[in-house]
Structure formats: structure tokens, C-alpha cells
Amino acid sequence: MYIPNSTIFMPSIFTLRGIPGLESVQCWIGIPFFAMYLIAIIGNSLLLIIIKTEHSLHEPMYIFLGMLAVTDIALATSIVPKMLGVFWFHVPEIHFNSCLFQMWLIHTFQCTESGILLAMALDRYVAICYPLRHATIFTHQVITQIGAVVTLRAGLLMIPCLVLIKCRYKYYHTTVISHSYCEHMAIVKLAVGNVQINKIYGLFVAFIVAGFDIIFITLSYIQIFTTVFRLPQKEARIKSFNTCIAHICVFLQLYFLSFFSFFTHRFGSHIPTYIHILFSSFYLLVPPFLNPLVYGAKTKQIRIHVLKIFSSLNPSSS
């Protein structure tokens, strides 16, 4: 392999460029990102507090929701602080190993979120289609095992990406990453040599995770809707359907944004780079930002407890 003289051998520091083409307005762009991050942290923390303190919510559906809230907090925190460091404080440098770790965290939490949504869909499927068996199937031990499997699946699937970058690529064209965070392909594109293996493995992980989860989530909801529409009483149909609305909203917004980002990134070569980066950044932050709002608005039990908290904080309500 020919190594140009201008290449860099095993760089210790990468530089995050932020949003190429919009450097002059990045300080303003950081404001909506910070607002979304703040709402995501507060909203998901509030969900966790409610689920933990209210014994009536110690059910599989709410425990999975708590797992989703933890994942959302972790995902947002792995992205936004460093991004704001680039936008607001002009600290674009990041150590090579830290960059790889951030990449692993981001993609791991993405995969974990998808797995939790699958678990939530299966929980609703059993609760509605086999209500008498729900308590015996979704025990606390099974829920813990599901959470562990989903997390391990995500973490282990992303380890080869780290190993391939760390062991295969010793020379880099540049240390400047044209992105606001350490993304897998953004790093790989800097390397000198054949990066086809990383591209193929990245697509394999995306399709094996998203493809598997989407198929089973879709099948679950088809069975749920079939069962719900067969219920004789209209009130029972509405009640059963309402328990799934929040899950469906979260499922649709996550995968719609995911596929839109995926296809525009690979087939939208005419779209400016800053549009790609802006959208990919918002795409990662929208689920943590929207999920607590969706569940707070659409889930009656959560909404009741949220109103109780705010009414207790408001002196005029007493």
C-alpha cells in the first residue's frame, strides 16, 4: 500500500470541525441543541423519579420505559456536552481513544434504544393478546434479563468497529473530523487504505439491528390491532388501543428519522454537508427530547403523577 508523505501516523488528537460551512453561526446553533438536551435530561429524569417512587408503576411497561429514559439520558449526554464545547467554547480537540469511545457509546445507545422499543412492543403484545399469561411471562427476572441482553447485544455489536479502526488503520489523511461528534464513518473516511470492511460491517449492524427489531415490532402491532378490533366492547377497544399509542408514536418517529438520515447520507450526494450533519445531530437528540413528552402526554398514569408533582410545587394550588 502506497503511503503519501502528507499522512499522519497514529494521531493522538482529532479535531472536531463542528458543522462545516456554518462555523460563524455555530454559537447560535448550539442554543436549540442545549434546549433539547435540557428538556431531555429533565423530562427523562422526571419519568425515572415517578416510575421509581410510585409502586403502582412497577409494571413491565413502565420498567421498560424507565430503561428507555436511562438510555435517552446517556445518549444525549454522550453527544451534547462535547458538541457545545466545540460550538460555544472553541474546544474542538478530542483524544483519539476518547473519540472512539464516544463513537462506541453513541452507536451502542442507539442500538439499545431500538432493542428496548422491541421489548416494549412484545410486552404490549402479550398484555393484550394473552392477558392471563402476562404476569407469568414478564416477571422481574425476565425483564432484567431482557434489559441485559439488549444492552449486551448493542455493546458487543459495536466492539468490532473499534477493533477494526484501532488495529487496521495506522495512517490518516487528516486529523480534522468534518462533524460535530465522533461518528463511525466520519472517522473511517479519514483513514488511508481500504475501508470497505468498516463500511460493510457498519451496514451489517444497521440492517441486522433495525431490520430484526422493525420486523418483530411490526408483527407485534399487527397481532395487537387484530386482537383489539375483535374486542366486542368499544370502550375495551379504545382502552387497549390507548395503551399502545405512545409506543407507536415513539417507534414511528425513531425509525422514520433513522431511515431518512440513512438514505440522505448515502444517496443525497447533492445535499450540502452541513445539512447532513445538522440532520444527523438533530436525529440523535430528537428521541431523548420527544420520548418523555410523548409518554407524559399520552400515558394517563404518567400524566396524573406529573400533574401531582407540579401541583405540589405550586403554592397557589394548596
Side-chain angles (χ1 to χ4, degrees), residues 110-118 121 150 153 207-220 251 255:
Q110 281 183 286
C111 293
T112 303
E113 184 160 21
S114 179
I116 293 172
L117 289 179
L118 172 58
V150 164
R153 180 191 71 162
F207 280 110
I208 201 69
V209 172
F212 178 87
D213 293 352
I214 287 173
I215 288 171
F216 280 95
I217 289 172
T218 304
L219 289 175
S220 297
F251 164 69
Y255 287 108

Side-chain angles (χ1 to χ4, degrees), residues 250-266:
V250 169
F251 164 69
L252 290 176
Q253 61 91 8
L254 174 67
Y255 287 108
F256 174 77
L257 289 171
S258 176
F259 279 109
F260 187 80
S261 178
F262 175 81
F263 285 113
T264 54
H265 185 70
R266 280 159 179 79

Side-chain angles (χ1 to χ4, degrees), residues 12 29 32 50 68 70 87 95 159 166 213 222 228 248 269:
S12 58
I29 294 173
I50 292 170
L68 187 66
V70 170
F87 291 172
H95 287 279
I159 286 177
K166 189 78 173 174
D213 293 352
I222 288 172
V228 168
I248 295 169
S269 55

Side-chain angles (χ1 to χ4, degrees), residues 114-175:
S114 179
I116 293 172
L117 289 179
L118 172 58
M120 296 172 83
L122 294 175
D123 168 66
R124 289 300 85 202
Y125 164 70
V126 175
I128 292 172
C129 299
Y130 303 98
L132 298 179
R133 298 175 58 187
H134 182 257
T136 57
I137 292 175
F138 280 92
T139 63
H140 286 285
Q141 183 179 1
V142 169
I143 294 169
T144 303
Q145 291 171 348
I146 290 173
V149 168
V150 164
T151 306
L152 282 173
R153 180 191 71 162
L156 292 176
L157 278 174
M158 289 312 303
I159 286 177
C161 292
L162 294 177
V163 175
L164 287 170
I165 293 173
K166 189 78 173 174
C167 299
R168 292 189 76 245
Y169 306 124
K170 305 296 183 184
Y171 294 89
Y172 290 80
H173 294 290
T174 177
T175 59

